[in-house]
Amino acid sequence: MSHHEAAHAGGHEDHRPSIYDPRRWLFSTNHKDIGTMYLVFAIIAGLIGGALSGLIRWELADPGIGPLLSLPWIHDVDAAKHFYDVAVTYHGLIMIFFMVMPAMIGGFGNWFVPLMIGAPDMAFPRMNNISFWLLPVSFTLAMISFLVPGAGEHLGFGGGWTLYAPLSTNWGGGAEPAAYHDGPAMDFLILSLHIAGASSILGAINFITTIFNMRAPGMTLHRMPLFVWSILVTVWLLVLALPVLAGALTMLLTDRNFHTNFFNPAGGGDPVMYQHLFWFFGHPEVYILILPGFGMVSQIVSTFSRKPVFGYLGMAYAMVSIGLIGFVVWAHHMYTVGMGLDLEAYFIAATMVIAVPTGIKIFSWIATMWGGSIDFKVPMLWAMGFIFLFTVGGVTGVVLANSGVDTSFHDTYYVVAHFHYVLSLGAVFAIFGGFFYWIPKMSGYRYNGFLAGLQFWLMFIGVNVVFFPQHFLGMQGMPRRHVDYNEGYAYWNNISSLGYLITAAGVLLFLVVLAEMFLVKRKAGANPWGEGASTLEWSLSSPPPFHQFNELPVIKPDAGH
Amino acid sequence: MTRSALFAAAASAWAAGAAWAQTGAPTDGAIHFQEPATQIMRDIVAFHDNWLLPIIVAVSVFVLALLLYVVVRFNRRANPTPRKFTHNMTVEVIWTVVPVAILVVIASQSFPLIIREEQIPPSEYTLKVTGNSWFWNYEYPDLGVNITASRLPDEDVEARNAGNPDAEHRARRLLSATEPLLVPVGANVRVLITSNDVIHAWAVPAFGVKEDAIQGRVNDTWFNVDREGVFYGQCSELCGKDHAFMPIEVHAVSRAEFEQWVLAQGGTLPSAQPAEPATEAAPAPTR
Ligand code: HEM
Ligand SMILES: [Cu+2]
Ligand SMILES: [Cu+2]
């Protein structure tokens, strides 16, 4: 450990420009600076996406259309109805494309993949710069799309993050043209997602090259920390899945603007084809959102149990197999399109198979803790919260995999509960865990453990109050994406909105924790976590030198994962 | 079977109070399904309550128990020196094989259920449902009945309830339609579903029916309602601004009442033999 530090002390504080110099950020080719920008971007996007979900829960707190009408730019009930759909759509898109992905892959991936494999930087530093800067461009296009006409005179696209045709087309022409999206909002959204996709593909190529070619001597694939494995699998999924989304989006674009009929039955096209293409991307995408979380949780659990990861190879190859199987289960999102018995049977079987490697991961985390000497520091709280809540979301996934019961659950709040347990309570908990695990390394400061612990408990309680009752609503039949509901769904909706207030308090407290940390400036030291933190990043100073590993570290066979 | 009886009892205990009322409508505060009105929905509930729910609760509780045990037993104070093992072939095999076995058990129940759902039995009536933005069109092509149902405006809901103290038959906001769709109790009804514009989905929770209405294709499903009552559903595929405002209201009535309604709608009753005589007296296909 200390031999690395000695070797690199020479590189300390070398040409690190001032943080107030805009050129440092605009022209950055430094993986740590770029990682920081991704994290800041993700936090901002997360706050915007979170505000939208606040509007959703506010509207749904009681039956009737009320709160949305009090917004200054909403003048009538129709505008409120459309705005609700818009809020749901952009909430989903922002959280997925501009919060979770940038935080996990762009943020933690950029920061820690090079550090963990002993590389001086990413393989293509300038491509890294463009990967990041495409994101604000994409986000700006999404915001423009939010503000220009979508359906008739109503602003923004309100067809859900899945962008299903024909709702996302402009064919209309019937009695109700406003049922379609004839305005430019959808076109801007397509451009936005194209650019976000390009950004991700460039980033993915960079990670693949870096991980395959820039590992320090002795850092074989089978000695890489599990977080690096998780990023490797994730970026492969990106490279293989995003082009399919890009294809589907391009077909939508030409259907809308150049009179093609890919998805138009009147011209021989097929709307269901869109769904197949979307979910061929979409299911791998949900694993893209969670796999880096798996990696972070592995690092955290091992560090705070002061014990090496249990079943390292099983853990790595469980992620590989989840990635592979993830490509052949997509139509479990489409059980109600009328696909017929044989396909349903196949997709049930294939989907349930994913539960096996997922189970291996859950049990291996517990086995890593077993016999350990566990320190319940804040990152460990998030990781343990993740393990339990992800289990709850995973088992409801197995329920939904059975198309026989999915007939009842599809497009109800049960599905909303499922994917928020794996995302808002899974992926987001992993992000917070990773954040508190690595913030001493990234910033050089320690956070206030009491406040951060309080934030964990507020959010743990809050998100469970928001999402657990949604299982009940779904079982009673409440459809998702409805702006208003019958009084028979009032009770649990009210509780759910109450949970939002608790969660929001937790998010605000997070901002306080951040501010407190940067104001008080408690020095962290190279390794605040002790012997359990054995990966390479802890051998460097906190924050690490601007350029590290000018002389490559040599990894010995017994290095911990 | 004692076990499944136990779960069934537990399940109905949950469904708290009025949840199992006659009407197929949501019950405030309920934590379970609406009361089934078809054998298929009963099968769905049974599969969920007797198999899926116990399994997922057991798995979640098991993981929680392990986590709590680890917290108590292996915290820093209780166990100051960590052990260093990283492999244990036995447990690794167990936690691979046992989940596989559980999934095989689930599949063994799942496949027969989808066969019952997807294989449409010979049916007496054919109902054609067409989704529009934002109302439903219902047609019994063989009976010459064709109706359009949209959302019953709030004023009409209030007006209807003002003169009607009977809680069971009151109109419901966002669930009641301008025209109810009538279906005969005890008959196999084949449903053809399509759309005139964007995708909608026709769903009635108490029937265990949900099928997308897609322009350019005709999907089919079926139901056989086994008790009289009023059953509500809602559009279940996002279709734009008024997605929450195209309710489905189905009245399951006796055959006599159904035939009267057909005539009142200007339709005709099949005078001679029904198209498939063999199925005339067939009971609801439960297997
Ligand atoms: C054991 C593993 C899992 C299984 C078996 C599973 C199964 C399913 C199924 C069958 C659906 C479709 C339900 C429906 O629409 O009727 C679904 C929806 C969804 N799942 Fe999962 N899932 C699993 C894990 C995950 C993970 C890890 C994530 C992401 C972190 C995730 C995110 C989602 C999302 C976002 C949706 C809803 C998409 C939408 O319709 O908008 N799932 N899942
Ligand atoms: Cu999926
Ligand atoms: Cu709809």
Side-chain angles (χ1 to χ4, degrees):
Chain A
M1 235 167 261
S2 53
H3 61 277
H4 298 310
E5 213 161 278
H8 308 296
H12 204 62
E13 292 299 329
D14 45 350
H15 23 265
R16 185 197 297 266
S18 154
I19 60 165
Y20 300 108
D21 180 353
R23 281 168 305 175
R24 166 164 176 188
W25 306 107
L26 271 178
F27 305 142
S28 178
T29 52
N30 181 297
H31 72 103
K32 295 185 289 290
D33 278 358
I34 292 174
T36 303
M37 289 195 285
Y38 267 111
L39 287 175
V40 172
F41 179 88
I43 292 174
I44 294 170
L47 292 174
I48 297 172
L52 285 171
S53 63
L55 292 178
I56 296 170
R57 283 303 345 152
W58 187 29
E59 176 52 52
L60 293 179
D62 294 296
I65 300 180
L68 292 185
L69 284 170
S70 63
L71 298 175
W73 63 94
I74 304 279
H75 302 300
D76 58 35
V77 174
D78 278 344
K81 289 173 182 171
H82 180 77
F83 180 74
Y84 178 85
D85 295 343
V86 169
V88 170
T89 303
Y90 290 73
H91 162 71
L93 289 170
I94 290 174
M95 287 307 199
I96 288 171
F97 288 98
F98 301 111
M99 194 279 276
V100 175
M101 290 171 69
M104 286 187 158
I105 307 163
F108 297 130
N110 255 307
W111 253 97
F112 293 104
V113 165
L115 296 188
M116 285 178 148
I117 62 174
D121 204 309
M122 296 286 282
F124 306 116
R126 284 190 279 188
M127 189 160 92
N128 207 7
N129 174 292
I130 192 86
S131 302
F132 171 76
W133 281 109
L134 284 178
L135 260 195
V137 173
S138 161
F139 193 66
T140 306
L141 283 167
M143 288 298 101
I144 293 174
S145 141
F146 191 90
L147 297 172
V148 299
E153 83 268 32
H154 301 306
L155 306 188
F157 173 72
W161 82 282
T162 46
L163 316 175
Y164 277 4
L167 185 57
S168 55
T169 69
N170 54 359
W171 302 328
E176 263 293 356
Y180 294 80
H181 284 85
D182 49 355
M186 181 61 197
D187 301 297
F188 275 104
L189 202 52
I190 291 173
L191 297 182
S192 163
L193 292 179
H194 264 316
I195 290 177
S199 150
S200 288
I201 290 177
L202 293 179
I205 292 170
N206 213 343
F207 278 111
I208 291 175
T209 315
T210 307
I211 295 172
F212 279 163
N213 297 300
M214 294 180 62
R215 281 170 284 122
M219 176 64 78
T220 60
L221 281 177
H222 284 174
R223 284 186 202 151
M224 292 192 316
L226 283 175
F227 176 67
V228 181
W229 264 105
S230 73
I231 291 287
L232 180 61
V233 177
T234 304
V235 294
W236 270 109
L237 297 191
L238 281 172
V239 164
L240 296 174
L242 276 170
V244 180
L245 175 70
L249 289 174
T250 306
M251 289 183 231
L252 268 184
L253 194 69
T254 60
D255 268 12
R256 291 175 59 85
N257 296 296
F258 307 115
H259 304 289
T260 55
N261 287 309
F262 290 110
F263 307 127
N264 188 352
D270 182 2
V272 175
M273 195 59 208
Y274 174 82
Q275 300 189 16
H276 280 294
L277 292 172
F278 181 85
W279 288 113
F280 189 87
F281 148 80
H283 188 81
E285 171 68 16
V286 306
Y287 281 100
I288 288 164
L289 298 171
I290 199 70
L291 281 168
F294 286 174
M296 290 190 264
V297 168
S298 293
Q299 307 300 145
I300 295 169
V301 164
S302 157
T303 296
F304 294 95
S305 306
R306 292 196 285 153
K307 213 168 141 273
V309 172
F310 182 94
Y312 168 83
L313 280 182
M315 287 292 247
Y317 285 97
M319 290 192 280
V320 174
S321 59
I322 288 174
L324 289 175
I325 306 168
F327 274 105
V328 294
V329 301
W330 72 91
H332 64 213
H333 296 272
M334 304 163 52
Y335 284 139
T336 60
V337 298
M339 65 175 77
L341 193 56
D342 298 346
L343 276 184
E344 280 186 34
Y346 162 72
F347 281 105
I348 291 174
T351 303
M352 289 206 296
V353 169
I354 296 203
V356 177
T358 311
I360 291 177
K361 300 214 61 93
I362 302 270
F363 292 120
S364 298
W365 286 319
I366 296 176
T368 305
M369 293 184 240
W370 203 272
S373 176
I374 308 174
D375 214 349
F376 295 101
K377 293 265 172 38
V378 173
M380 188 63 176
L381 295 180
W382 288 106
M384 293 190 71
F386 170 94
I387 293 172
F388 178 60
L389 298 174
F390 182 77
T391 303
V392 175
V395 294
T396 57
V398 173
V399 170
L400 294 172
N402 295 283
S403 74
V405 286
D406 190 57
T407 305
S408 285
F409 290 142
H410 177 66
D411 254 306
T412 68
Y413 267 81
Y414 193 95
V415 174
V416 178
H418 156 69
F419 68 74
H420 282 93
Y421 263 82
V422 281
L423 288 173
S424 310
L425 294 76
V428 171
F429 272 42
I431 290 174
F432 275 116
F435 187 85
F436 285 107
Y437 181 56
W438 281 316
I439 192 69
K441 174 60 56 190
M442 295 186 288
S443 68
Y445 304 132
R446 279 180 296 131
Y447 54 84
N448 179 320
F450 171 76
L451 287 182
L454 189 65
Q455 185 221 337
F456 167 79
W457 286 109
L458 266 180
M459 292 200 59
F460 183 86
I461 295 168
V463 285
N464 276 293
V465 175
V466 174
F467 294 112
F468 203 80
Q470 296 186 357
H471 294 110
F472 305 147
L473 291 170
M475 292 183 85
Q476 273 287 298
M478 179 169 170
R480 65 192 280 210
R481 296 165 166 168
H482 275 207
V483 58
D484 191 4
Y485 51 83
N486 176 264
E487 284 64 15
Y489 297 119
Y491 182 77
W492 290 120
N493 267 304
N494 200 264
I495 303 277
S496 180
S497 292
L498 210 75
Y500 182 85
L501 293 180
I502 306 174
T503 311
V507 173
L508 290 182
L509 188 54
F510 172 65
L511 299 179
V512 173
V513 172
L514 271 186
E516 197 264 6
M517 183 180 73
F518 283 107
L519 288 175
V520 177
K521 299 187 195 296
R522 285 168 292 257
K523 286 267 175 288
N527 180 358
W529 307 131
E531 71 199 88
S534 56
T535 40
L536 278 179
E537 77 271 30
W538 304 108
S539 67
L540 300 166
S541 59
S542 296
F546 199 56
H547 298 295
Q548 76 278 347
F549 299 138
N550 294 334
E551 275 170 59
L552 296 180
V554 176
I555 285 68
K556 297 204 293 286
D558 60 340
H561 303 295
Chain B
M1 277 300 95
T2 25
R3 196 186 42 118
S4 58
L6 195 75
F7 287 122
S12 34
W14 277 7
W20 294 103
Q22 274 300 302
T23 313
T27 308
D28 204 14
I31 61 173
H32 199 235
F33 293 100
Q34 293 180 20
E35 188 184 2
T38 63
Q39 185 58 38
I40 284 294
M41 189 58 200
R42 242 182 286 288
D43 292 351
I44 292 175
V45 174
F47 177 34
H48 179 269
D49 286 359
N50 300 341
W51 298 91
L52 294 172
L53 188 63
I55 289 172
I56 67 170
V57 170
V59 170
S60 305
V61 169
F62 180 60
V63 168
L64 182 63
L66 289 176
L67 284 173
L68 291 177
Y69 181 79
V70 159
V71 167
V72 174
R73 177 65 189 78
F74 299 113
N75 65 62
R76 204 158 189 170
R77 240 169 300 141
N79 192 34
T81 14
R83 294 167 59 197
K84 289 290 172 201
F85 68 90
T86 57
H87 291 281
N88 182 326
M89 191 57 125
T90 319
V91 297
E92 285 175 81
V93 170
I94 291 176
W95 71 47
T96 310
V97 173
V98 172
V100 170
I102 294 176
L103 293 173
V104 169
V105 169
I106 292 178
S108 75
Q109 299 298 309
S110 192
F111 291 142
L113 176 62
I114 61 166
I115 291 172
R116 291 200 291 282
E117 283 182 14
E118 288 293 323
Q119 284 187 346
I120 299 179
S123 19
E124 254 179 276
Y125 296 99
T126 299
L127 166 68
K128 185 170 178 222
V129 176
T130 309
N132 300 271
S133 299
W134 291 276
F135 58 89
W136 295 101
N137 205 160
Y138 300 115
E139 191 183 349
Y140 282 104
D142 306 333
L143 306 179
V145 172
N146 194 335
I147 62 171
T148 293
S150 48
R151 172 197 183 203
L152 189 65
D154 288 354
E155 312 84 76
D156 297 4
V157 171
E158 278 157 32
R160 212 188 270 183
N161 290 345
N164 182 3
D166 175 0
E168 269 315 304
H169 295 97
R170 69 178 203 269
R172 286 157 203 263
R173 199 177 70 86
L174 300 181
L175 296 179
S176 291
T178 47
E179 287 282 339
L181 166 70
L182 265 68
V183 300
V185 161
N188 289 340
V189 179
R190 176 171 187 230
V191 193
L192 305 177
I193 301 171
T194 188
S195 166
N196 275 337
D197 41 53
V198 299
I199 303 178
H200 307 267
W202 198 75
V204 182
F207 295 179
V209 165
K210 183 177 292 142
E211 197 74 25
D212 288 355
I214 304 172
Q215 193 190 349
R217 81 161 55 195
V218 180
N219 278 333
D220 55 3
T221 183
W222 70 285
F223 56 76
N224 184 320
V225 189
D226 52 21
R227 64 188 163 86
E228 293 185 20
V230 179
F231 303 95
Y232 297 102
Q234 288 172 283
C235 179
S236 296
E237 180 61 61
L238 178 58
C239 55
K241 170 171 76 66
D242 280 324
H243 170 49
F245 304 92
M246 43 186 294
I248 295 153
E249 177 177 0
V250 184
H251 292 191
V253 296
S254 68
R255 272 164 201 259
E257 208 177 319
F258 178 71
E259 290 177 354
Q260 263 175 5
W261 176 78
V262 168
L263 294 175
Q265 298 295 324
T268 49
L269 297 169
S271 45
Q273 296 293 309
E276 282 157 305
T279 67
E280 190 174 25
T286 53
R287 275 313 85 190

